[in-house]
Structures are given as C-alpha cells and as structure tokens.
Amino acid sequence: MPTTRFCALIGIPRRSYTRWQAIARAGGPAGKGPWPAPVVDPVEPVAAKYAADWPAWGHRKIHAMMAVDGHTASVSSVERALRRRGLLQPVDYHGERRELAKARRAAFTEPPTSPNMVWQLDFSEYETTSGGTWRLVGMCDYYSKYEFDWHIGPTCTGTDAVTTVQIALDEAERLAGGPLSSSS
C-alpha cells in the first residue's frame, strides 16, 4: 500500500508519518511519551500534600494556599501536578451539586407559604481545646428562617433529635401564644 494512501486511511499527515518512520529507523525514541516537566516535578509533592490535607478543594484554591505559603507555581502547574496523582475534582462536580439541589427543591410539591409548615433539623459538631466534642442540634423554620433554641450535648442520637423537636415545638407554641394547629 502506498504511504500516501496509508496515511489517509489512518488519518495522519504524511509528513508526520515519514518523520516518525525516520526516527524509528534511526533507533530514536518513538516521539510520544512522558515529556520532561521541570516546572511541575518540584511542585507535585507540595501540591499533593495540600490536596491530601484539603480533599474538597480544587486546584485553584490549592494554588492560592501554596502562593500564600510562599510556593511559586502557576495554576496550570498545580493542576498538572494534581492530575498526575489523580487528585483533581471530577469535571462535573458543580453540576452534580446543582442536580442535588434541584432534587431537594423538587421535594416540596408545594413550597411552604407560611411559617411552621416545614422545619429543618441540623446537627453540628465542635471539638473543644481539651479534646472533647460537643454536638449542637438546631431546628429552623424553612419559610421564615427563624432559628429555634438549640440542644447541646455530647451525643448525636435520635433522642437528641427528638429533644430538639420538642424544644422547637415548645418555643413555636410560646411565640404563637397557644398550641400549634395540625391542619396546615
């Protein structure tokens, strides 16, 4: 088969093919392969350490932290270093987060139109300087964004959630001036 037809068949320029063929006949490298990266090589271990310490951060924020700490590297070098180690965030990370938010919004067939229709429960955890852990449980009204009193304790169990709901019910009844109606 003629070289011109072969190159057209596989979709590469004839000039590239003849250059690769000449290099191969001379015993040189194949022309493809890991190219030297003198800029990325010293940055890679440092960027990998930052990525291990903050796995939820992307390459731009890691670059900013490295710059603040005195490491000189471009954003693209940090990105290449993290890509080598497989530490980059997935490409559609933010799109995935938006889809999850859309699903949460769709959970309300009818959005709440007044207070005390939908409440949200939130657990937060804080470490003390002496090595202990406190867990805070809070309840918030979805419509008015009013934050009810918090329950603070060392555990994070169903009992803590029930206690928080009771605290919120008591406070909502106090604010309403009477018992809450169950027909909303």
Side-chain angles (χ1 to χ4, degrees), residues 5-22:
R5 198 164 127 213
F6 175 73
C7 290
L9 182 69
I10 62 173
I12 61 169
R14 183 176 178 271
R15 186 174 177 149
S16 297
Y17 176 75
T18 55
R19 185 178 68 247
W20 295 340
Q21 194 175 37

Side-chain angles (χ1 to χ4, degrees), residues 37-76:
V39 173
V40 177
D41 290 340
V43 172
E44 186 177 348
V46 177
K49 181 188 173 307
Y50 279 88
D53 291 344
W54 293 283
W57 289 4
H59 67 279
R60 288 180 186 91
K61 191 172 268 192
I62 289 175
H63 167 263
M65 288 295 293
M66 289 173 59
V68 166
D69 290 343
H71 301 284
T72 54
S74 67
V75 176
S76 60

Side-chain angles (χ1 to χ4, degrees), residues 4-177:
T4 307
R5 198 164 127 213
F6 175 73
C7 290
L9 182 69
I10 62 173
I12 61 169
R14 183 176 178 271
R15 186 174 177 149
S16 297
Y17 176 75
T18 55
R19 185 178 68 247
W20 295 340
Q21 194 175 37
I23 292 171
R25 284 183 181 152
K32 295 194 182 259
W35 302 107
V39 173
V40 177
D41 290 340
V43 172
E44 186 177 348
V46 177
K49 181 188 173 307
Y50 279 88
D53 291 344
W54 293 283
W57 289 4
H59 67 279
R60 288 180 186 91
K61 191 172 268 192
I62 289 175
H63 167 263
M65 288 295 293
M66 289 173 59
V68 166
D69 290 343
H71 301 284
T72 54
S74 67
V75 176
S76 60
S77 295
V78 172
E79 180 184 9
R80 286 186 194 109
L82 294 178
R83 180 174 288 121
R84 278 186 184 177
R85 300 238 179 147
L87 298 173
L88 284 179
Q89 293 288 348
V91 173
D92 198 26
Y93 176 74
H94 290 290
E96 189 177 305
R97 298 287 301 264
R98 283 189 210 102
E99 287 299 318
L100 291 172
K102 188 188 304 181
R104 282 194 301 272
R105 282 192 302 274
F108 296 115
T109 53
E110 292 181 25
T113 56
S114 66
N116 299 327
M117 287 180 73
V118 178
W119 287 356
Q120 294 175 267
L121 185 70
D122 181 38
F123 281 88
S124 297
E125 187 173 287
Y126 296 96
E127 292 184 18
T128 64
T129 55
S130 60
T133 304
W134 285 101
R135 289 162 180 98
L136 285 66
V137 190
M139 183 75 75
C140 175
D141 180 50
Y142 185 83
Y143 179 80
S144 66
K145 305 298 185 215
Y146 180 80
E147 190 77 35
F148 296 106
D149 286 339
W150 286 71
H151 170 68
I152 302 171
T155 60
C156 186
T157 62
T159 306
D160 295 316
V162 170
T163 303
T164 303
V165 170
Q166 190 58 52
I167 290 170
L169 283 171
D170 293 343
E171 187 175 351
E173 288 177 349
R174 181 183 59 79
L175 292 170

